[in-house]
Amino acid sequence: MSVQNPRIEIRLSLQEIHLARAVAIRRSAARKFKLAAQMKRDRRNKAPLDSKSLVARVLAVVGEGSLKIGILRAEAELAVSKYFGIPWDGRLIGDGDWAEDADEDVGPIEVRTTLHKTGRLIVHPKDDDDAPFVLVRAHRSPIYEIIGWQTGRECKKEEYWEDVGCGRPGFYLPNDKLRSLTESLFEHF
């Protein structure tokens, strides 16, 4: 079950990078507006909060770093869609609204991105056990390395649980436990 084909390199074009960045900016804005609305609801029975301090609070919670991560995530999703030939628009639906609660990143695939050149696949307890999770390394952007994949269920073993100090403990799958991309993940779903 170890990775036989260590990585697939996908280079994104400038046009693809612009699309992924536009998606990331839209996602970030949607999260900020959702957070701002929640903060306003939370403060209804308390002292009024002017819009300037509300914006400052929102930016403190959802800052520039999350936008950078969001851009890498969107670019990695696009790289996976390009490799598998699955259309990707960043979850744009209907009349231009965004599917905030869509479950999958690319078709049935969940994409996990890392900036570390030896980074591992991370899965969280609430993630779908039956979904395929694909690891993408983004340390050489705009070249993305698609490393391998595994199901959520196979990742969620107690022996893989770690708190690496980033504030999001989870199941960190060792790279030698990833399935090769030569083993079609679509045969399993």
Side-chain angles (χ1 to χ4, degrees), residues 4-5 26 29 36 59 67 75 87 89-90 94 100 102 104 108 115 143 152 168 179-180 182 187:
Q4 300 160 3
N5 196 7
R26 179 68 190 255
L59 289 176
L67 178 58
E75 289 177 358
D89 59 10
E100 289 295 315
E104 300 87 11
L115 281 170
I143 299 171
R168 291 194 71 197
R179 294 181 189 215
S180 170
T182 60
E187 292 173 7

Coordinates of all heavy atoms in Angstrom, one line a residue, residues 4-5 26 29 36 59 67 75 87 89-90 94 100 102 104 108 115 143 152 168 179-180 182 187:
Q4 N 4.2 3.9 -4.7 CA 5.1 3.4 -5.7 C 5.7 4.5 -6.6 O 6.8 4.5 -7.1 CB 4.4 2.3 -6.6 CG 3.9 1.2 -5.7 CD 2.8 0.4 -6.5 OE1 2.5 0.7 -7.6 NE2 2.2 -0.5 -5.8
N5 N 4.8 5.5 -6.9 CA 5.1 6.6 -7.8 C 5.2 7.8 -6.9 O 4.1 8.4 -6.6 CB 4.0 6.7 -8.9 CG 4.5 7.5 -10.0 OD1 5.6 7.9 -10.1 ND2 3.5 7.8 -10.9
R26 N -12.6 35.2 -2.7 CA -14.0 35.1 -2.5 C -14.4 34.3 -1.3 O -15.2 34.6 -0.5 CB -14.7 34.5 -3.8 CG -16.2 34.4 -3.7 CD -16.8 35.8 -3.7 NE -18.2 35.6 -3.4 CZ -19.2 35.8 -4.2 NH1 -19.0 36.1 -5.5 NH2 -20.5 35.7 -3.9
A29 N -13.5 36.3 1.8 CA -14.5 37.4 2.0 C -15.8 36.8 2.6 O -16.4 37.3 3.5 CB -14.8 38.1 0.7
A36 N -18.5 38.2 10.7 CA -19.0 39.6 11.1 C -20.5 39.5 11.5 O -20.9 40.1 12.5 CB -18.8 40.6 10.0
L59 N -10.7 41.0 11.2 CA -9.3 40.8 10.7 C -8.4 40.2 11.6 O -7.5 39.4 11.2 CB -8.8 42.2 10.2 CG -9.5 42.8 9.0 CD1 -8.9 44.1 8.6 CD2 -9.3 41.8 7.8
L67 N -5.6 34.0 4.3 CA -5.8 34.2 2.9 C -4.7 33.5 2.1 O -4.9 32.8 1.1 CB -5.8 35.7 2.6 CG -6.0 36.0 1.1 CD1 -7.2 35.3 0.5 CD2 -6.0 37.5 0.9
E75 N -5.2 26.7 -5.1 CA -4.3 26.3 -6.2 C -4.1 24.8 -6.2 O -4.0 24.1 -7.3 CB -3.0 27.0 -6.1 CG -3.1 28.5 -6.4 CD -1.8 29.3 -6.2 OE1 -0.8 28.8 -5.8 OE2 -1.9 30.5 -6.5
P87 N -13.7 18.9 -13.7 CA -13.9 20.4 -13.7 C -13.9 20.9 -12.3 O -14.5 20.3 -11.4 CB -15.3 20.5 -14.4 CG -15.5 19.2 -15.1 CD -14.8 18.2 -14.4
D89 N -14.4 24.8 -10.2 CA -14.7 26.2 -10.2 C -14.7 26.8 -8.8 O -15.2 27.9 -8.6 CB -16.0 26.5 -11.0 CG -17.2 25.9 -10.3 OD1 -17.0 25.3 -9.2 OD2 -18.3 25.9 -10.9
G90 N -14.2 26.0 -7.9 CA -14.1 26.5 -6.5 C -15.4 26.5 -5.8 O -15.7 27.4 -4.9
G94 N -25.0 27.9 -9.3 CA -26.1 28.7 -9.8 C -25.8 30.1 -10.3 O -25.0 30.3 -11.2
E100 N -20.9 27.3 0.4 CA -20.0 27.3 1.6 C -20.0 25.9 2.3 O -19.0 25.6 2.9 CB -20.6 28.3 2.6 CG -20.4 29.7 2.2 CD -18.9 30.1 2.1 OE1 -18.2 29.8 3.1 OE2 -18.5 30.7 1.2
A102 N -20.4 22.9 0.8 CA -20.1 21.8 -0.1 C -19.0 20.9 0.6 O -18.1 21.4 1.2 CB -19.6 22.2 -1.4
E104 N -17.1 18.2 -0.8 CA -15.8 17.8 -1.5 C -15.1 19.0 -2.1 O -15.7 20.0 -2.4 CB -16.2 16.8 -2.6 CG -16.9 15.5 -2.1 CD -18.4 15.7 -1.9 OE1 -18.9 16.7 -2.5 OE2 -19.0 14.8 -1.3
P108 N -15.4 14.0 -6.0 CA -15.5 13.3 -4.7 C -14.2 13.4 -3.8 O -14.2 12.8 -2.8 CB -15.7 11.8 -5.2 CG -14.9 11.7 -6.4 CD -15.1 13.1 -7.1
L115 N 2.9 23.0 2.9 CA 4.0 23.8 2.4 C 5.3 23.0 2.7 O 6.4 23.4 2.2 CB 4.1 25.1 3.1 CG 3.1 26.2 2.5 CD1 3.1 27.4 3.4 CD2 3.5 26.5 1.1
I143 N 4.4 25.0 -9.1 CA 4.4 23.5 -9.4 C 3.9 22.8 -8.1 O 4.5 23.1 -7.0 CB 5.9 23.1 -9.8 CG1 6.4 23.8 -11.0 CG2 5.9 21.5 -9.9 CD1 7.8 23.5 -11.3
G152 N -10.4 8.3 4.4 CA -10.4 8.9 5.7 C -10.4 7.8 6.8 O -9.7 7.9 7.8
R168 N -4.2 22.5 15.6 CA -5.2 21.6 15.0 C -4.6 20.2 15.0 O -4.1 19.7 14.1 CB -5.4 22.0 13.5 CG -6.2 23.3 13.4 CD -6.7 23.5 12.0 NE -7.8 22.6 11.8 CZ -8.3 22.3 10.6 NH1 -7.7 22.8 9.5 NH2 -9.3 21.5 10.4
R179 N -1.6 5.6 -0.6 CA -1.7 4.8 -1.8 C -1.2 5.6 -3.0 O -1.3 6.8 -3.1 CB -3.2 4.5 -2.1 CG -3.8 3.6 -1.0 CD -5.2 3.4 -1.3 NE -5.9 2.7 -0.2 CZ -6.8 1.8 -0.3 NH1 -7.2 1.4 -1.5 NH2 -7.3 1.3 0.7
S180 N -0.6 4.9 -3.9 CA 0.0 5.5 -5.1 C -1.1 6.0 -6.0 O -2.3 5.5 -6.1 CB 0.8 4.4 -5.9 OG 1.1 4.9 -7.1
T182 N -1.1 5.7 -9.1 CA -1.3 4.7 -10.1 C -2.4 3.7 -9.7 O -2.9 3.0 -10.6 CB 0.0 3.9 -10.4 OG1 0.4 3.2 -9.2 CG2 1.1 4.8 -10.9
E187 N -11.6 3.6 -8.4 CA -12.0 2.2 -8.4 C -12.6 1.8 -7.0 O -13.3 0.9 -6.8 CB -10.8 1.3 -8.6 CG -10.3 1.3 -10.1 CD -9.0 0.5 -10.3 OE1 -8.6 -0.2 -9.3 OE2 -8.5 0.6 -11.4

